[in-house]
Amino acid sequence: MARVAARLSDGEQSTHPVDEVLPLPKLALYGFQHVLAFYAGAVIVPIIVGGALGLSTEQLVYLINADLFTCGIASIIQAFGIGRIGARLPLIQGVTFTAVSPMIAIGLGAGGGTAALLVIYGAVITAGIATFAFAWLPPKAFRAVMRLFPPVVTGTVITVLGIVLIPVGLNDAAGGLGSPDFGDPKNFAYAGGTMLFILILMKIGKPFLSSIAILLGLVGGTAVAFLLGDAKFGDVSKADWVGVTTPFHFGVPKFEWFPIVLMLIVMLITMVETTGDTYAVGDIVGKEVDSETVARALRADGAATALGGVLNSFPYVAFAENVGLVRMTKVKSRFVVVAAGVFMIVLGMLPKAAAIVASVPHGVLGGAATVMFAMVALAGIQTLAKVDLKEEKNALVIGVSLAFALLPATVPVFFKEHMNADLSSLLNSGVTLGATAAIVLNLIFNGLGKDDAHNATEAPAVIPGQPAETTKAAKDADADEAAPASEATEGEAAAPAPTA
């Protein structure tokens, strides 16, 4: 891989810090630190989705391994780059939280279990291929789509995402829906203790502790539960020491058009996240991000998502918390992320490690998940703070969209008993209804003004202690240059893309 070099005044060349290959010990240390900051966010998605679909412990272990294995490959593609795929920046790829609620809705609509996974994977593969193809479109086409996502829309969607997921965390805090001890005060004690421990770590304020607060909370809560006899690790001894993720492990994917439409909406939102994180990390490491860089980042997202569907995992996006870690550590080399990818691939081949994670008690998991999902909602509120809420049109977009988002949880009988099963699998999701309402209402009230393409910002966040990075999009940039264009070159001037 050729290093990008900057020419000095005396004619010599120096390697940009992003392209610097650090000594192996430093690569290993800094790479493992990225894994620690990323790990809890990586494994909690398959845990939540697998639990909601009623998968067995063995199947859940496989999902966790598949997720970590594919995360490693996706991060290497994004950071190292393959041809015109990958931003070649220190960006960690992980499963997007945006897809959690829609995937659960799709899976439950398909009856749960492994049969549900096949429908989800069909939608994931299709959406990944569509995202990959979209990133090769001309600038004007990209701009037209991204104008659907100004701050009032993305802020609402991210807020909705957090609000919809918080009950999922609370159900786990109660012991997990369907469990014999659901609602037992003991479960809430574990959840409350885990949450308190995480908040104390956050209060201490040490950057590294903050970056792994969720992970330490899960470890601490599980350790207490084990000492009190409420954490069972019997399945760990049954798990193999080494296991390799194989394509289509659960069967041949099923391609149904309603789930595919839903997953396409998810990928539109994740494209916004990745665009924002690409500009944020570019600003942190001092490297110009042009339209082709954004295009390469989105192609990596699409390729990783399609690969995720093949390797029994889920949609992928650049992780905001690791962007924050780059800022804190000031380690700019993208090869550190490559090293982190190697660690993740190795972890993804250790079923016993995944079995330990799968043994985390529901109460402990619920306490950590509730904190994480609350922080997602906060990220949305932070984005909405940039919107002129005195403008009645914006207030209506936000308020009515939130009302739509609460409909599935408030009146579930409407979707279960009075709606076609296929239509229910698409609409029985607060995220889907809230996002669709925000887009449609914004079009009705605000239209597609040119300012939307220039002023949109994005603020994803998932892990407490790693504040969401806001897109550093220059407001005066030319909109055509802001979109990914296949004809762009490495040397073109940076032109921030319209993001949301």
Side-chain angles (χ1 to χ4, degrees):
M1 181 69 191
R3 298 182 184 179
V4 177
R7 186 167 296 279
L8 303 178
S9 58
D10 60 2
E12 296 180 358
Q13 290 186 329
S14 68
T15 301
H16 192 286
V18 168
D19 302 293
E20 182 182 1
V21 181
L22 302 178
L24 187 58
K26 288 187 176 181
L27 278 179
L29 177 62
Y30 294 141
F32 191 67
Q33 182 174 245
H34 268 289
V35 173
L36 289 177
F38 156 93
Y39 192 83
V43 301
I44 202 168
V45 172
I47 289 175
I48 291 174
V49 174
L53 300 183
L55 300 183
S56 67
T57 301
E58 182 181 355
Q59 292 166 338
L60 184 56
V61 167
Y62 196 93
L63 274 189
I64 294 171
N65 278 130
D67 177 25
L68 290 170
F69 185 83
T70 314
C71 281
I73 296 174
S75 296
I76 292 173
I77 292 173
Q78 187 71 275
F80 189 82
I82 300 176
R84 298 178 70 182
I85 304 172
R88 293 176 174 82
L89 290 170
L91 286 168
I92 287 280
Q93 297 290 104
V95 176
T96 174
F97 280 82
T98 308
V100 170
S101 185
M103 288 192 299
I104 291 175
I106 292 171
L108 294 179
T114 56
L117 286 177
L118 300 182
V119 177
I120 292 173
Y121 291 147
V124 169
I125 292 171
T126 305
I129 294 173
T131 302
F132 183 81
F134 177 77
W136 294 90
L137 288 179
K140 289 184 178 180
F142 182 81
R143 180 186 63 187
V145 175
M146 298 313 286
R147 281 183 178 176
L148 295 172
F149 299 93
V152 67
V153 172
T154 52
T156 301
V157 171
I158 296 171
T159 303
V160 163
L161 178 63
I163 291 174
V164 167
L165 288 178
I166 285 174
V168 176
L170 293 176
N171 280 328
D172 268 328
L177 281 174
S179 64
D181 62 346
F182 184 74
D184 191 319
K186 176 179 62 177
N187 295 322
F188 285 111
Y190 284 128
T194 302
M195 187 180 299
L196 179 62
F197 184 49
I198 292 171
L199 294 177
I200 290 174
L201 293 175
M202 298 298 301
K203 175 65 176 176
I204 293 174
K206 300 294 184 181
F208 183 68
L209 282 180
S210 297
S211 69
I212 59 172
I214 292 291
L215 179 62
L216 293 179
L218 291 171
V219 171
T222 302
V224 172
F226 177 75
L227 292 175
L228 296 178
D230 292 316
K232 310 297 183 182
F233 293 95
D235 290 321
V236 176
S237 61
K238 301 177 185 177
D240 296 330
W241 281 102
V242 178
V244 179
T245 298
T246 56
F248 309 122
H249 172 78
F250 296 102
V252 179
K254 296 181 179 179
F255 299 89
E256 299 181 5
W257 72 278
F258 270 110
I260 287 173
V261 170
L262 181 53
M263 202 55 60
L264 287 173
I265 294 174
V266 168
M267 291 308 295
L268 283 174
I269 298 172
T270 62
M271 283 193 289
V272 173
E273 291 187 39
T274 292
T275 302
D277 287 334
T278 302
Y279 278 105
V281 80
D283 180 60
I284 292 169
V285 301
K287 187 168 185 179
E288 289 184 336
V289 172
D290 54 31
S291 59
E292 173 66 5
T293 306
V294 174
R296 292 200 309 265
L298 295 177
R299 291 167 199 154
D301 268 11
T305 297
L307 182 64
V310 172
L311 294 180
N312 319 290
S313 190
F314 305 115
Y316 284 87
V317 69
F319 253 37
E321 61 266 36
N322 289 84
V323 174
L325 186 60
V326 173
R327 169 168 288 176
M328 287 191 305
T329 63
K330 296 181 174 57
V331 178
K332 302 177 181 180
S333 172
R334 60 191 171 96
F335 293 99
V336 168
V337 171
V338 174
V342 173
F343 277 121
M344 285 185 278
I345 290 174
V346 172
L347 287 173
M349 298 173 66
L350 301 176
K352 281 194 181 296
I356 294 173
V357 175
S359 300
V360 173
H362 279 286
V364 175
L365 177 64
T370 301
V371 174
M372 294 174 67
F373 298 152
M375 294 301 291
V376 174
L378 175 61
I381 294 171
Q382 288 173 330
T383 301
L384 291 176
K386 302 178 177 67
V387 178
D388 182 7
L389 297 180
K390 294 181 180 179
E391 177 59 57
E392 186 175 302
K393 294 184 292 185
N394 290 332
L396 285 171
V397 170
I398 298 168
V400 176
S401 299
L402 289 174
F404 270 95
L406 294 174
L407 181 60
T410 307
V411 194
V413 66
F414 172 70
F415 299 91
K416 293 180 180 178
E417 299 182 10
H418 303 285
M419 186 176 290
N420 174 273
D422 288 336
L423 188 60
S424 177
S425 69
L426 173 66
L427 298 181
N428 191 14
S429 163
V431 175
T432 303
L433 288 181
T436 304
I439 293 171
V440 172
L441 290 172
N442 180 67
L443 287 174
I444 293 173
F445 287 112
N446 296 322
L448 284 175
K450 291 183 178 180
D451 288 342
D452 289 351
H454 299 290
N455 298 333
T457 57
E458 193 274 334
V462 274
I463 299 283
Q466 295 298 329
E469 299 297 331
T470 302
T471 309
K472 190 175 178 60
K475 294 183 179 180
D476 299 325
D478 180 78
D480 283 342
E481 289 297 315
S486 57
E487 63 271 15
T489 63
E490 285 287 340
E492 73 183 37
T499 64

